[in-house]
Amino acid sequence: MSEMPSCPQCSSPYAYEDRDNYVCPECGHEWARDGVAEPAEESTVTDANGNPLADGDTVTVIKDLKVKGSSSVVKVGTKVKNIRLVDGDHDIDCKIDGIGAMKLKSQFVKKA
């Protein structure tokens, strides 16, 4: 059995293997098992028309969207100001007037 390396970020001796990476349970740092860091894949979030989106943009909803757990609907043409891009399935975090904080999928908006 091979000796596990300590975490390069916090020097914790409790690192463990997870597929091709080592993971530190104390600080959450992950690094490649072979010692070579993989380049971070930069993914750009695009709207329904293929235009790139950025934090702070204003977008318009292109389809009626039902709000889960509510009888509310976000109507077509609703402008959403000051969006924030996040990782995940719903990649836009925003506040919509009259509804509140929501997460939207970029495929249902267009850049205004």
Side-chain angles (χ1 to χ4, degrees):
M1 188 164 157
S2 65
E3 186 72 26
M4 291 289 170
S6 59
C7 176
Q9 198 164 31
C10 72
S11 301
S12 170
Y14 304 113
Y16 62 90
E17 281 186 62
D18 184 26
R19 296 184 188 177
D20 294 333
N21 292 329
Y22 289 118
V23 180
C24 176
E26 291 185 4
C27 70
H29 179 67
E30 295 184 18
W31 67 99
R33 187 178 343 166
D34 58 9
V36 179
E38 296 176 11
E41 188 176 305
E42 177 109 10
S43 63
T44 57
V45 177
T46 57
D47 67 358
N49 297 329
N51 298 321
L53 297 173
D55 287 343
D57 282 347
T58 299
V59 295
T60 304
V61 177
I62 62 169
K63 178 182 174 185
D64 282 347
L65 302 172
K66 294 179 183 176
V67 178
K68 192 172 185 177
S70 172
S71 61
S72 303
V73 175
V74 179
K75 297 285 188 178
V76 171
T78 302
K79 283 198 175 207
V80 181
K81 299 178 185 176
N82 199 19
I83 65 169
R84 186 175 58 232
L85 301 179
V86 294
D87 291 331
D89 186 31
H90 293 73
D91 43 13
I92 297 174
D93 204 10
C94 61
K95 285 186 181 178
I96 298 178
D97 293 337
I99 295 177
M102 284 198 63
K103 290 188 177 233
L104 299 173
K105 290 186 177 185
S106 60
Q107 65 192 22
F108 298 122
V109 299
K110 68 177 183 178
K111 196 170 185 176

